[in-house]
Amino acid sequence: MKFIVCFLVICSGAFACGQQPAAQAPNPLDKLSFMKGDWSGKQNFETGGGPAMVGDATDRVEIGIAGKYLCEMLSTTLPGRKPTDTRHFISFDKKSGKYTAWWFNDTSTHPSELAGDLSGNRLVLLSDPSAPGPVLRATYESPTENTLTFLLEMKQGDSWTKLFLTTYTKKAAAQP
Protein backbone atom coordinates (compact mmCIF):
# COMPACT_ATOMS: atom_id res chain seq x y z
CA MET A 1 0.00 0.00 0.00
CA LYS A 2 2.86 2.37 0.87
CA PHE A 3 4.36 1.62 -2.49
CA ILE A 4 1.17 2.63 -4.32
CA VAL A 5 0.81 5.88 -2.32
CA CYS A 6 4.47 6.77 -2.92
CA PHE A 7 4.11 5.97 -6.60
CA LEU A 8 1.03 8.22 -6.89
CA VAL A 9 2.78 11.08 -5.08
CA ILE A 10 5.81 10.79 -7.37
CA CYS A 11 3.62 10.65 -10.49
CA SER A 12 1.51 13.65 -9.45
CA GLY A 13 4.68 15.63 -8.68
CA ALA A 14 6.16 14.73 -12.05
CA PHE A 15 2.98 15.76 -13.86
CA ALA A 16 2.80 19.03 -11.94
CA CYS A 17 6.42 19.90 -12.81
CA GLY A 18 5.81 19.16 -16.47
CA GLN A 19 2.98 21.64 -16.80
CA GLN A 20 3.76 25.17 -17.90
CA PRO A 21 1.90 28.05 -16.29
CA ALA A 22 -0.74 29.57 -18.50
CA ALA A 23 0.76 32.38 -20.56
CA GLN A 24 -0.74 35.72 -19.67
CA ALA A 25 -1.90 37.72 -22.66
CA PRO A 26 0.10 40.91 -23.18
CA ASN A 27 -1.62 44.15 -22.23
CA PRO A 28 -2.47 46.04 -25.48
CA LEU A 29 -1.71 49.30 -23.66
CA ASP A 30 1.96 48.23 -23.55
CA LYS A 31 2.02 48.86 -27.30
CA LEU A 32 1.30 52.55 -26.55
CA SER A 33 4.48 52.91 -24.50
CA PHE A 34 5.82 55.31 -27.16
CA MET A 35 3.30 57.85 -25.82
CA LYS A 36 4.30 57.59 -22.16
CA GLY A 37 6.29 60.38 -20.54
CA ASP A 38 6.39 64.11 -19.87
CA TRP A 39 6.27 66.13 -23.06
CA SER A 40 6.46 69.80 -24.06
CA GLY A 41 6.25 71.49 -27.43
CA LYS A 42 4.28 73.73 -29.73
CA GLN A 43 0.72 73.45 -30.99
CA ASN A 44 0.28 74.96 -34.45
CA PHE A 45 -3.31 75.79 -35.33
CA GLU A 46 -4.59 75.81 -38.90
CA THR A 47 -5.90 79.33 -39.51
CA GLY A 48 -6.91 79.03 -43.16
CA GLY A 49 -4.30 81.53 -44.32
CA GLY A 50 -4.81 83.89 -41.38
CA PRO A 51 -2.11 84.94 -38.95
CA ALA A 52 -0.18 82.14 -37.30
CA MET A 53 -1.59 80.86 -34.03
CA VAL A 54 0.91 78.84 -32.00
CA GLY A 55 0.60 77.76 -28.39
CA ASP A 56 2.96 76.28 -25.84
CA ALA A 57 1.83 72.73 -25.14
CA THR A 58 2.49 70.17 -22.43
CA ASP A 59 1.39 66.56 -22.17
CA ARG A 60 1.88 63.97 -19.43
CA VAL A 61 1.02 60.39 -20.38
CA GLU A 62 1.08 57.46 -17.95
CA ILE A 63 -0.62 54.15 -17.25
CA GLY A 64 -3.27 54.50 -14.55
CA ILE A 65 -6.43 53.16 -12.97
CA ALA A 66 -5.12 49.65 -12.22
CA GLY A 67 -3.31 49.47 -15.55
CA LYS A 68 -6.54 49.67 -17.55
CA TYR A 69 -6.08 53.15 -19.07
CA LEU A 70 -3.45 55.30 -20.63
CA CYS A 71 -4.10 58.60 -18.85
CA GLU A 72 -3.16 61.76 -20.71
CA MET A 73 -3.17 65.29 -19.24
CA LEU A 74 -2.78 67.98 -21.89
CA SER A 75 -2.62 71.76 -21.76
CA THR A 76 -2.05 74.47 -24.33
CA THR A 77 -1.39 78.13 -23.60
CA LEU A 78 -2.00 80.70 -26.32
CA PRO A 79 -0.71 84.26 -25.93
CA GLY A 80 -3.11 86.29 -23.77
CA ARG A 81 -5.18 83.26 -22.71
CA LYS A 82 -5.19 80.96 -19.72
CA PRO A 83 -3.97 77.36 -20.17
CA THR A 84 -6.46 74.76 -21.34
CA ASP A 85 -7.29 71.76 -19.15
CA THR A 86 -7.81 68.48 -21.01
CA ARG A 87 -7.80 64.79 -20.02
CA HIS A 88 -7.78 61.81 -22.37
CA PHE A 89 -8.31 58.23 -21.20
CA ILE A 90 -7.38 55.52 -23.69
CA SER A 91 -8.17 51.84 -23.21
CA PHE A 92 -8.48 48.70 -25.31
CA ASP A 93 -11.81 47.01 -26.01
CA LYS A 94 -11.17 43.28 -26.36
CA LYS A 95 -14.60 42.72 -27.86
CA SER A 96 -14.16 45.12 -30.79
CA GLY A 97 -10.37 44.81 -30.99
CA LYS A 98 -10.12 48.62 -31.04
CA TYR A 99 -8.43 51.19 -28.88
CA THR A 100 -11.09 53.40 -27.32
CA ALA A 101 -10.78 56.89 -25.89
CA TRP A 102 -12.78 59.33 -23.84
CA TRP A 103 -11.75 62.96 -24.03
CA PHE A 104 -12.70 65.49 -21.38
CA ASN A 105 -11.91 69.18 -21.77
CA ASP A 106 -12.66 72.51 -20.15
CA THR A 107 -14.97 73.70 -22.94
CA SER A 108 -17.44 70.79 -22.99
CA THR A 109 -19.77 69.20 -20.45
CA HIS A 110 -19.60 65.72 -22.02
CA PRO A 111 -16.65 63.61 -23.15
CA SER A 112 -15.93 62.88 -26.78
CA GLU A 113 -15.70 59.18 -27.57
CA LEU A 114 -13.30 57.82 -30.16
CA ALA A 115 -12.10 54.41 -31.35
CA GLY A 116 -9.34 53.27 -33.64
CA ASP A 117 -6.33 51.19 -34.47
CA LEU A 118 -2.60 51.08 -33.87
CA SER A 119 -0.04 50.49 -36.59
CA GLY A 120 3.55 50.57 -35.33
CA ASN A 121 4.00 53.84 -33.44
CA ARG A 122 0.90 55.40 -34.95
CA LEU A 123 -2.48 55.40 -33.20
CA VAL A 124 -5.42 56.72 -35.23
CA LEU A 125 -8.73 57.36 -33.44
CA LEU A 126 -12.04 58.45 -35.00
CA SER A 127 -15.06 59.93 -33.29
CA ASP A 128 -18.44 58.30 -33.82
CA PRO A 129 -20.08 59.75 -36.96
CA SER A 130 -23.52 59.27 -35.40
CA ALA A 131 -22.62 61.36 -32.33
CA PRO A 132 -23.45 65.07 -32.17
CA GLY A 133 -20.80 67.42 -33.50
CA PRO A 134 -18.14 67.05 -36.18
CA VAL A 135 -16.36 63.81 -36.96
CA LEU A 136 -12.81 64.05 -35.64
CA ARG A 137 -9.68 62.08 -36.45
CA ALA A 138 -6.83 62.13 -33.95
CA THR A 139 -3.43 60.73 -34.85
CA TYR A 140 -0.70 60.13 -32.30
CA GLU A 141 2.65 59.29 -33.81
CA SER A 142 6.21 58.91 -32.62
CA PRO A 143 8.56 59.57 -35.56
CA THR A 144 11.60 59.34 -33.25
CA GLU A 145 12.19 58.05 -29.70
CA ASN A 146 11.91 61.50 -28.08
CA THR A 147 9.27 63.01 -30.36
CA LEU A 148 5.49 62.68 -30.19
CA THR A 149 3.04 64.36 -32.56
CA PHE A 150 -0.67 64.82 -32.07
CA LEU A 151 -2.69 65.78 -35.15
CA LEU A 152 -6.37 66.64 -34.87
CA GLU A 153 -8.48 66.81 -38.03
CA MET A 154 -12.17 67.38 -38.76
CA LYS A 155 -14.09 65.71 -41.55
CA GLN A 156 -15.61 68.07 -44.11
CA GLY A 157 -17.45 66.23 -46.84
CA ASP A 158 -15.10 63.55 -48.14
CA SER A 159 -11.90 65.21 -46.96
CA TRP A 160 -10.12 65.99 -43.70
CA THR A 161 -9.24 69.51 -42.56
CA LYS A 162 -6.33 69.94 -40.17
CA LEU A 163 -7.31 71.75 -36.96
CA PHE A 164 -3.90 71.65 -35.32
CA LEU A 165 -0.64 69.75 -35.09
CA THR A 166 1.23 69.51 -31.81
CA THR A 167 4.86 68.45 -31.85
CA TYR A 168 6.25 67.43 -28.47
CA THR A 169 9.75 66.64 -27.27
CA LYS A 170 10.18 64.32 -24.30
CA LYS A 171 11.42 66.09 -21.21
CA ALA A 172 14.55 64.67 -19.64
CA ALA A 173 13.86 62.45 -16.64
CA ALA A 174 14.57 64.09 -13.28
CA GLN A 175 17.82 62.90 -11.71
CA PRO A 176 17.64 61.72 -8.07
Side-chain angles (χ1 to χ4, degrees), residues 130-145:
S130 65
V135 176
L136 299 174
R137 178 170 66 186
T139 304
Y140 295 88
E141 191 165 15
S142 180
T144 66
E145 183 180 344

Side-chain angles (χ1 to χ4, degrees), residues 122-139:
R122 187 171 195 244
L123 175 64
V124 180
L125 301 168
L126 296 171
S127 64
D128 183 350
S130 65
V135 176
L136 299 174
R137 178 170 66 186
T139 304

Side-chain angles (χ1 to χ4, degrees), residues 65-84:
I65 312 175
K68 296 180 189 289
Y69 295 90
L70 191 73
C71 304
E72 183 179 19
M73 295 164 277
L74 306 94
S75 182
T76 301
T77 305
L78 290 167
R81 297 184 189 178
K82 68 179 191 170
T84 62

Side-chain angles (χ1 to χ4, degrees), residues 11 29 131 149:
C11 287
L29 293 182
T149 61

